Amino acid sequence: MPHMWCPGCGIGVMLRACLRSFEELGYGNQDTVVVTGIGCTGKLDDYLVTHALHTTHGRALACATGIKAAKDDLHVVVFMGDGDSVTIGGNHFLHAARRNMDLTAIIINNFNFGMTGGQFSGTTFSGAITQTSAYGNPERQVDICALAEVAGANYVARSTPWHVDDLKTLIGEALGRKGFSVVEVLSPCPTHFGSNNKMKKGTEMLAWLQEKTVPVEAWRTMTPEARAGLFPIGRLVDRNEPDFNARYAEVGARATGN
Ligand SMILES: Cc1ncc(C[n+]2csc(CCOP(=O)(O)OP(=O)(O)O)c2C)c(N)n1
Ligand code: SF4
């Protein structure tokens, strides 16, 4: 199918893994709502026939929260870039996790603002070269998965398009969990982040992602020094706290004496 993404971009690989999981879980176009923000990732609803809400930049989780609070029977799946989710949209990310909203957030973390030309975002690591940090990013990066965990998400996982089978499994698990579930997909943007950091080809970025990631089981045995600059991948958090709608229903029952 013709699409807008650059050669070597990871978004299409993630979308394919997700659609295979939709099919396996029986998610149909009447009971599924895809919510997106603005960016290369946010464009993916153009290629779907589900209900879709293309929101403003950074507000996808706020809109998805409203949908889920009103229509608990819908599957609500939110696709965002690292800008949408934890930079301009960081406040909504924190509160969706804190409320444990029954949403699945799938986040393409390509370490920069892809659509607008490769400026640094909240996940760009220190020293990285971007369009707005020609001599190295002076800021430190947000760890999306750690943030989701401490804020209260039920399920948190991380993978990459290099690990495509694991990626599909983790997305399927996230979709199947109640409460706020997050899958961070570390993803190549060869056009901007890669080009700015000596990885012009998608294959070079995939090899780099392979080097930067460690299965979480091995990660747990490593010293803090050995972990520096690496990302644990796999299922990082899996718990079963009540979601927002369940707790709201309890309050409703108390209020009405039922
Ligand atoms: C309120 C607002 N601020 C800024 C923009 C400009 N803008 C459009 S997309 C984007 C960044 C997209 O980056 P990200 O969310 O990481 O997605 P990617 O393109 O990398 O998939 C920005 C800053 C906008 N559309 N709206
Ligand atoms: S600019 Fe980057 S994120 Fe956007 S489509 Fe191209 S490779 Fe993908």
Side-chain angles (χ1 to χ4, degrees):
M1 189 209 285
H3 58 72
M4 63 152 277
W5 297 302
C6 308
C9 179
I11 297 172
V13 178
M14 175 280 292
L15 182 58
R16 183 163 193 270
C18 192
L19 294 182
R20 283 168 62 205
S21 293
F22 276 13
E23 197 169 20
E24 279 175 21
L25 293 167
Y27 280 29
N29 56 9
Q30 292 301 311
D31 59 5
T32 307
V33 187
V34 162
V35 184
T36 55
I38 304 297
C40 299
T41 310
K43 284 292 284 175
L44 66 75
D45 57 24
D46 287 1
Y47 308 109
L48 304 180
V49 290
T50 59
H51 295 295
L53 187 62
H54 190 52
T55 69
T56 50
H57 189 43
R59 311 299 165 211
L61 282 170
C63 295
T65 294
I67 295 169
K68 191 67 196 185
K71 293 265 184 196
D72 195 28
D73 53 330
L74 294 173
H75 307 299
V76 185
V77 187
V78 189
F79 292 93
M80 297 169 287
D82 42 275
D84 256 326
S85 57
V86 296
T87 311
I88 191 172
N91 181 42
H92 301 300
F93 186 78
L94 188 65
H95 293 295
R98 178 181 68 80
R99 293 184 178 120
N100 204 21
M101 286 308 301
D102 185 23
L103 307 169
T104 300
I106 301 180
I107 301 173
I108 285 279
N109 179 6
N110 54 26
F111 310 102
N112 69 177
F113 293 160
M115 178 166 266
T116 46
Q119 299 83 1
F120 67 78
S121 78
T123 65
T124 308
F125 33 85
S126 304
I129 310 299
T130 69
Q131 287 305 101
T132 42
S133 58
Y135 298 94
N137 179 22
E139 299 185 358
R140 296 177 296 176
Q141 86 242 41
V142 173
D143 180 331
I144 294 176
C145 291
L147 181 60
E149 177 174 5
V150 296
N154 258 358
Y155 180 92
V156 183
R158 181 189 283 120
S159 193
T160 83
W162 174 271
H163 307 87
V164 64
D165 289 337
D166 293 342
L167 173 62
K168 194 226 138 213
T169 302
L170 295 167
I171 289 176
E173 284 185 3
L175 292 168
R177 294 295 192 277
K178 209 62 185 146
F180 194 54
S181 53
V182 176
V183 181
E184 178 187 4
V185 187
L186 303 178
S187 184
C189 172
T191 303
H192 299 303
F193 191 80
S195 292
N196 282 320
N197 292 280
K198 302 193 175 93
M199 297 175 285
K200 282 204 167 102
K201 293 186 192 152
T203 48
E204 289 170 332
M205 286 217 77
L206 283 175
W208 175 75
L209 286 173
Q210 192 194 11
E211 284 165 19
K212 294 283 284 179
T213 50
V214 179
V216 65
E217 298 76 14
W219 170 267
R220 290 192 175 122
T221 68
M222 290 164 67
T223 61
E225 294 74 30
R227 290 175 176 177
L230 299 175
F231 293 89
I233 52 170
R235 186 192 311 112
L236 309 181
V237 177
D238 194 5
R239 52 195 173 197
N240 192 20
E241 300 288 322
D243 71 306
F244 172 83
N245 283 5
R247 282 181 284 108
Y248 192 73
E250 269 178 34
V251 173
R254 273 206 301 283
T256 54
N258 294 316

